[in-house]
Amino acid sequence: QVQLVESGGGLVQAGGSLRLSCAASGRTFRSYNMGWFRQAPGKEREFVAAISLGGITTTYVDSVKGRFTITRDNTKNTEYLQMNSLKPEDTAVYYCAAARRFGDRSQNSYDYWGQGTQVTVSS
């Protein structure tokens, strides 16, 4: 069992930056590939980024490539999402999630979810 708690969301102007954190409980964090999803008002939840067990391999949705960076620190049981050059269309609730498999962008592949943190980007 893994419990995930996100933090770091907030209100930022377009062009600004935020760093989201996701703290995981338990000793099995390093056994899971980690990801970030987001859900904007009136839209379905979408994949944003994922990182492999050891942090070597990452993947991103095209709309955030070059602006967002996903990392993890297995010694702290924490993953991060550094978001730069934020745009109003990045406004959403951001969720971290844990999966046994890496590379599948489907929500169904993720076993554990955090409660979400709101990111609002003003124009």
Side-chain angles (χ1 to χ4, degrees):
Q1 185 101 12
V2 178
Q3 293 183 326
L4 305 173
V5 179
E6 302 97 334
S7 61
L11 173 64
V12 64
Q13 289 188 333
S17 298
L18 283 174
R19 187 176 82 154
L20 305 183
S21 298
C22 174
S25 64
R27 297 177 291 177
T28 59
F29 176 74
R30 61 188 67 202
S31 299
Y32 286 88
N33 301 287
M34 298 298 296
W36 288 95
F37 287 74
R38 65 186 179 186
Q39 187 167 19
K43 296 187 176 181
E44 293 187 354
R45 191 175 299 185
E46 67 167 350
F47 170 84
V48 175
I51 188 166
S52 60
L53 298 174
I56 301 301
T57 306
T58 58
T59 185
Y60 299 89
V61 67
D62 286 348
S63 60
V64 308
K65 282 181 180 177
R67 300 188 299 121
F68 290 12
T69 303
I70 186 171
T71 57
R72 66 189 294 165
D73 185 340
N74 286 345
T75 66
K76 296 181 179 180
N77 284 3
T78 304
E79 73 157 340
Y80 305 95
L81 186 68
Q82 178 66 44
M83 305 186 294
N84 299 328
S85 302
L86 282 160
K87 304 175 181 180
E89 51 264 43
D90 295 317
T91 295
V93 177
Y94 283 71
Y95 299 89
C96 68
R100 287 291 190 182
R101 296 189 306 174
F102 177 77
D104 190 338
R105 300 184 175 192
S106 168
Q107 297 181 57
N108 295 332
S109 297
Y110 285 78
D111 303 303
Y112 300 102
W113 292 83
Q115 82 289 347
T117 186
Q118 176 71 48
V119 171
T120 303
V121 184
S122 63
S123 58

